[in-house]
Amino acid sequence: MSAPRWGVTGWGAALPTRVVTNADLAEKLDTSDEWVRTRTGIRERRVGGLVSELAAEAGRHALARAGCDGSDVELLILATTTPDQAVPATSSKVHHALGIAGGAYDLNAACAGFVYGLVAAAGAIATGTSSVLLVGADCLSRITDPLDRSTAVLFADGAGAILLQSSTGSREAAELDAPPGMPAGALLGTDLGVDGTAYELLGCEHGGYMTMEGSEVFRRAVRITVSSATAALARSGLKPDDVALFVPHQANLRIIEAACDRLGIGSERTAVILDRTGNTSAASIPLALAEAADAGRLSAGDYVLLSGFGAGMTWASAVLRWGSPL
Ligand code: COA
C-alpha cells in the first residue's frame, strides 16, 4: 500500500475565560509580576473548566474550520495528563460531545503528548484511517498547589486541536507538491524519547499536587529540545534554515530562547504564546500552532518544527509539512 497524501485541514483553540495575572498571584503568594515575567516570560494565564470541555471546544473549532463535523472523524486522539477522571478515558466524553463516528483514546506523554499524538495520528493514516482529530488539552490548575509559588506561577489550562485528513477521504483529491524524495504524508522526520531515570523530577501523586525540581528540569529541557529537534530535522533531510516556523513547548521563555539560540532559529520564526497562557502542557504546542495559523504565519508547503518535553521525562519532535491535501 503506498502512503496516502494527508495534511492538516483544520485547527482550533480553547482557553478558559478567567484570566489570572501575575499581580493576581502576587496578592496571595510571595512573588511579584517582575520575578515571574523575567524568570519565565509569563504575564498571565487562563484557569478553569475541565479537559473534556476545553478539548471539545477546541475540536469543534478545528472541525468547523475544515468544514467537517464529528461524523467525518474516524479517530480521536486526546493527549492529556489531567483527565477529568481516572476511568473512563476523557476522550469518550469528547467523542460524545462532538458526535464522532470512529474510535477514541487518551494518550499521556505529559507536555510532549501532542507531538506523540501527531506521530500516532500519522501512523493511523498510513494504515488507512482517513481523518484523525488530534487534541492536546490540560487543566494543570487542578493539580497545582495554589500556595506553592514555584509551580503556581507556571501552570494553567487550555486546549488546542488539529484535524488531519488524507486525500483518500470523501473529498476530491488534489496534489500537494512534495519535493522529490519526500514521503507522501505530511510528517517528515520525527524523534520520540523518554529518560525514565528522570522520573522523579516532575510528578504528581493521585489526589496530590505537582512537585518539581525546577532548575534541573530547566537544564534538561534546553538540552532535550535542542537534541530532539536536531534529530527530527536530520531525519527530514532539512536544516534549521529550512524551518518556516518553530513551535516549541511553551514552558518558559528562557528555555525557548536558549534552545532557539543553539538551534539557530530566530524569534521571527518561533511561535510563542506562553506570555498569555502559561504552561498548558499537552495544549501548549497546538495552542501556539493555532495562533500562528490564524495569524497567517503559515503557507502551504512550509516546514513546521514541533518540539515538546515534559514529565517522565518525555520528549518528542516532528517536522510537519503544512498544507491541505484536499
Ligand atoms: N517568585 C519569587 N521567587 C521565586 C519564585 C516565585 N514564583 N519561585 C521560586 N523563587 C525563588 C526560589 O525560592 C529561589 O530562592 P532562593 O535563591 O532564596 O532559594 C530563587 O527564586 C531562584 O530559584 P530558582 O529555582 O533557581 O529559579 P530559576 O531561575 O531556576 O527559575 C523556574 C525557576 C521554575 C521558573 C525555572 O527553573 C523553570 O522554569 N524550570 C523549568 C520548569 C518547567 O519547565 N517545568 C515544566 C516542564 S514541562
Side-chain angles (χ1 to χ4, degrees):
M1 184 170 76
S2 66
R5 214 166 259 289
W6 62 270
V8 174
T9 55
W11 57 88
L15 289 168
T17 49
R18 187 173 152 228
V19 179
V20 178
T21 65
N22 294 340
D24 293 333
L25 293 175
E27 283 175 16
K28 298 189 190 92
L29 298 170
D30 182 14
T31 190
S32 65
D33 174 50
E34 207 256 335
W35 192 95
V36 181
R37 265 191 299 107
T38 54
R39 305 310 290 167
T40 72
I42 300 167
R43 292 172 183 274
E44 61 186 37
R45 70 286 292 142
R46 301 293 191 95
V47 173
L50 288 171
V51 160
S52 56
E53 296 164 352
L54 293 169
E57 189 185 334
R60 204 171 282 120
H61 290 313
L63 291 173
R65 180 168 282 277
C68 295
D69 61 33
S71 66
D72 298 309
V73 176
E74 288 186 13
L75 178 63
L76 165 69
I77 302 175
L78 173 61
T80 186
T81 315
T82 49
D84 288 7
Q85 53 200 61
V87 179
T90 304
S91 51
S92 293
K93 278 188 175 174
V94 180
H95 185 278
H96 177 58
L98 297 180
I100 283 171
Y105 65 91
D106 284 14
L107 180 162
N108 180 350
C111 307
F114 183 80
V115 183
Y116 265 82
L118 184 59
V119 174
I125 287 178
T127 51
T129 303
S130 69
S131 60
V132 182
L133 181 64
L134 170 62
V135 187
D138 266 304
C139 288
L140 292 179
S141 67
R142 296 183 76 205
I143 58 167
T144 302
D145 181 350
L147 300 178
D148 175 5
R149 69 177 183 174
S150 67
T151 52
V153 301
L154 302 176
F155 299 120
D157 309 335
I162 58 173
L163 182 67
L164 296 78
Q165 287 185 290
S166 83
S167 58
T168 55
S170 56
R171 294 159 189 242
E172 199 181 331
E175 295 283 295
L176 176 72
D177 284 342
M182 288 285 185
L187 201 57
L188 309 179
T190 64
D191 179 62
L192 304 183
V194 61
D195 177 2
T197 66
Y199 176 83
E200 291 184 342
L201 288 182
L202 175 53
C204 179
E205 297 291 335
H206 284 298
Y209 286 134
M210 260 189 293
T211 57
M212 178 179 73
E213 288 183 39
S215 46
E216 184 56 23
V217 171
F218 187 109
R219 269 191 293 277
R220 287 170 182 256
V222 176
R223 279 204 308 266
I224 286 169
T225 303
V226 173
S227 61
S228 179
T230 301
L233 280 174
R235 287 172 192 151
S236 309
L238 297 174
K239 298 193 169 46
D241 281 352
D242 299 318
V243 173
L245 188 72
F246 178 38
V247 188
H249 173 44
Q250 311 281 307
N252 184 318
L253 188 59
R254 287 158 56 222
I255 295 175
I256 294 175
E257 287 174 347
C260 284
D261 209 38
R262 292 183 201 181
L263 285 166
I265 297 177
S267 58
E268 75 289 353
R269 289 188 287 142
T270 302
V272 172
I273 196 173
L274 64 76
D275 50 316
R276 287 150 288 143
T277 62
N279 181 344
T280 56
S281 193
S284 91
I285 288 176
L287 277 171
L289 182 66
E291 183 179 79
D294 280 337
R297 291 179 74 185
L298 290 169
S299 306
D302 275 354
Y303 297 117
V304 185
L305 172 63
L306 313 167
S307 186
F309 62 88
M313 283 187 73
T314 57
W315 63 85
S317 299
V319 178
L320 178 69
R321 192 175 47 239
W322 190 253
S324 165
L326 303 176

